[in-house]
Amino acid sequence: MAVLPPGASRLLARVQPVAAAPGTLLPVGVEVWHLDLNACADLQSEARDLLDDADRRAADRFTRPASRIRQQLTHAALRCLLARHLGTQPGLLRFQVGPHGKPELDPKRDLRFSLSHSGTDALVALAWGREVGVDLERIRPRRSLEQLAMTCFSPVELAAWLAVPAADRLRGFYRFWACKEALIKAWALGLAAGLQRFDVALAPQTAPQLARADVPAAPPGDWVLRELQGPAGYAAALAVQQLGSP
Amino acid sequence: MTSEELRAALLQAIASVAPEADLGKLKGDVELRPELDLDSMDFLQVVTRLGEALHLDIPESDYAQLATLDAGVAYLAARVPQAP
């Protein structure tokens, strides 16, 4: 097992494990980690040293310092988490980008990952031997929420969301959306999956379900959804391929 | 429409969703979402408003072609009637 550099150990000491929502558990072989970007601001320079040249060049293309710093911290944390599992150095990992923009290890490994950031926080999900997607959404009021819901949600989801009490509707919107986004990330399709082509079902005291999927380009198999106990003020969800899927 | 007009339409759609974004320094070949801190719903709204402004149907399968300003202008130029 490779010894991680001190910068990696310091960064790993700042990431916190994330649990599934009360009453549910993360699937076996799946980890989710939370990174508070503000709390890691003092590790910017160490984070940059953990990247490879391609990552550093990508970071330097950003005009906004905040975007550059976020990219460096989140990618360094991702590298450290992957390297810890794979027994290598963070800077030696190489990535490639799939046709719809989802990054993956190059060469492809059994260890899959997904990264999401929103506001000042980020989540990294790792899964052995199955596809994974994670989404983090800072809950904030939006103009034209109902119009947006009509764009994002299937008719079944829209009806379920409109049945949510008005006081919970904003949070409910983000809960639905986080589940949908986690799925389209796990499928590595992004918005090209077609947001109307599948239904997510939310119910109290139970894990969300993928109730319908008509997405021919998605990887085969069944999909497990979990809401996550992310940072306060956020909605977060995880989607993973069911074990035993082809 | 000219390329400049298409670029202006795209920038206007972004500004309508993210009025705080500093678009003056935006480089044409940098990914819009991470650079401007747009989440996926912001991006969805940008594309929706762009489509409305240009009377253009932009399918979800094409959204990845709008990842940068330059790519977005090239995508639109192939679909919106050009000025002679």
Side-chain angles (χ1 to χ4, degrees), chain A residues 227-244:
Chain A
E227 291 191 83
L228 301 171
Q229 298 187 44
Y234 287 79
L238 171 88
V240 284
Q241 200 171 22
Q242 182 79 268
L243 276 181

Side-chain angles (χ1 to χ4, degrees), chain B residues 38-65:
Chain B
L38 301 177
D39 64 26
S40 45
M41 266 179 293
D42 292 329
F43 190 66
L44 207 59
Q45 284 186 297
V46 168
V47 179
T48 302
R49 291 182 187 180
L50 183 65
E52 288 168 356
L54 299 177
H55 306 290
L56 185 69
D57 179 32
I58 304 174
E60 288 168 335
S61 54
D62 287 354
Y63 283 12
Q65 297 182 55

